Amino acid sequence: MGSLSTHGTVKGFAVDPENPKTMYAATRDGLFKSADAGESWKPLGKDVKNSAAVTVSPRKPHDIYVANVEGKIFTSADGGLKWKAQK
Amino acid sequence: MKNRYYFAILVAVVLFGHGAESHAQEKSRRPPALPGDDRTEIRSKNIPVRFEQVRTLAIDASGKFMFVGTPLGLFRSDDSGRSWQKVGVSTKQSNYDVIAITPDPRDAKLMYIGTREAGVLKSADGGLSWKEINTGIRGPDVRGLAIDPNSPSKLYAAVREKGAGIYRTNDGGAKWARVDGGPQGEIEVLTSVNIPTGMGGIFLYAGGSTGLQRSPDCF
């Protein structure tokens, strides 16, 4: 799980319930996604800085929700490719 | 005579000037704003709600309700985080610092939260009423709470400071026992994951200041 440690504290963590090798980690540097149960990670959603928490919809696992430290919610409907701020 | 007059003005200017300066210094020593003024305002059915900080985010098994844990307590949203309502968790204290929210993956009415002040609490009615379930847990400061996706009556709690360690329950929190050999260090999040590897089984993922750790669920 080495590559994540360079991005500071892991504040939030969520797993795709249908495909548990797909996981998301929220850090101060933003959100990261792994497709191999945490062996490798890639950054997602450059707009979501200072992320504090992440969750995956149990019914629609492509729906990802992230909160930044201040409580602003960002949503993605495609597993983290495109993001928008919740209004 | 004239000189004395100018001298008096000079003295007055110096005194007044000095007075104004010390007043300014005093003012600058005051904090610029009250703590909490920078909290983000979030609409709650048109009533503003203030979160100090977001600790955790979760969605119940039905997918209907989103929950957020904050130092000011637990909040629930029925519109994917556009508006929030406070969820009363305790009659003893107005706010618990809610660090972890762990919904049961099958039963939308059943959920658990981890708090810094009161350990683990459980609700069996979608968050209307809560009960502390800490038999066997030796400290109040819970930082991570994981539920086994295959057998949801099995949970792990990460406790910091007093009674620090990882605790396990096999009966939905009726009793807990401390376990050795689990994840180490300052844990911020704890999750049980069913990894379909050759060996199969549940792994415990712990996130914190050193990144992410994975432990097999057999310690």
Side-chain angles (χ1 to χ4, degrees):
Chain A
M1 326 266 111
S3 65
L4 262 187
S5 60
T6 57
H7 296 282
T9 302
V10 175
K11 296 291 217 178
F13 182 73
V15 177
D16 182 329
E18 281 175 15
N19 181 10
K21 284 189 177 180
T22 298
M23 37 186 68
Y24 302 85
T27 77
R28 197 189 54 210
D29 290 343
L31 189 69
F32 292 81
K33 181 176 183 174
S34 173
D36 53 12
E39 296 302 325
S40 63
W41 294 88
K42 62 175 191 204
L44 283 185
K46 290 189 184 101
D47 315 335
V48 192
K49 292 199 179 71
N50 221 349
S51 60
V54 55
T55 191
V56 177
S57 168
R59 292 296 176 96
K60 289 187 260 170
H62 290 292
D63 286 3
I64 318 297
Y65 298 84
V66 175
N68 71 8
V69 174
E70 292 83 22
K72 198 170 180 59
I73 307 284
F74 297 85
T75 67
S76 171
D78 57 9
L81 294 175
K82 292 193 295 290
W83 290 90
K84 61 175 194 227
Q86 190 69 285
K87 288 195 184 92
Chain B
M1 197 67 182
K2 219 173 191 179
N3 282 350
R4 245 187 238 171
Y5 176 69
Y6 284 133
F7 179 73
I9 288 177
L10 186 67
V11 167
V13 164
V14 166
L15 283 176
F16 178 74
H18 179 74
E21 197 186 320
S22 63
H23 180 68
Q25 271 173 358
E26 216 163 82
K27 214 172 175 184
S28 71
R29 271 198 295 270
R30 254 184 260 156
L34 290 169
D37 278 359
D38 55 349
R39 292 173 194 166
T40 304
E41 205 167 89
I42 286 164
R43 284 171 299 136
S44 162
K45 304 290 180 202
N46 302 321
I47 304 162
V49 171
R50 283 167 185 273
F51 295 159
E52 218 167 50
Q53 202 182 331
V54 166
R55 304 284 201 194
T56 184
L57 199 61
I59 299 172
D60 74 352
S62 72
K64 228 193 242 170
F65 295 110
M66 187 183 283
F67 291 85
V68 65
T70 81
L72 303 176
L74 182 68
F75 295 82
R76 190 177 81 165
S77 173
D78 59 7
D79 54 11
S80 300
R82 289 179 183 86
S83 63
W84 297 92
Q85 297 85 48
K86 179 91 185 275
V87 178
V89 165
S90 167
T91 48
K92 281 186 256 170
Q93 202 173 317
S94 63
N95 297 319
Y96 284 144
D97 190 347
V98 178
I99 299 275
I101 305 169
T102 307
D104 185 285
R106 295 171 197 168
D107 182 352
K109 295 269 180 224
L110 197 58
M111 58 190 297
Y112 304 83
I113 58 171
T115 69
R116 290 197 62 180
E117 303 91 343
V120 184
L121 292 94
K122 180 179 186 174
S123 174
D125 54 14
L128 290 175
S129 64
W130 293 87
K131 197 173 93 180
E132 284 181 29
I133 47 156
N134 292 306
T135 305
I137 297 182
R138 286 177 235 154
D141 189 358
V142 169
R143 296 303 180 100
L145 192 59
I147 190 162
D148 187 323
N150 294 352
S151 27
S153 56
K154 197 169 160 188
L155 291 98
Y156 289 94
V159 174
R160 207 181 278 186
E161 297 190 7
K162 185 172 174 258
I166 304 287
Y167 292 80
R168 176 168 53 202
T169 176
N170 292 316
D171 51 15
K175 56 185 188 302
W176 299 81
R178 190 150 66 181
V179 289
D180 295 322
Q184 307 290 317
E186 295 211 328
I187 290 166
E188 302 262 346
V189 283
L190 193 66
T191 306
S192 290
V193 187
N194 178 30
I195 302 287
T197 58
M199 284 166 66
I202 299 293
F203 290 85
L204 205 53
Y205 281 70
S209 52
T210 54
L212 200 63
Q213 309 171 51
R214 179 169 67 191
S215 319
D217 177 40
C218 54
F219 49 82

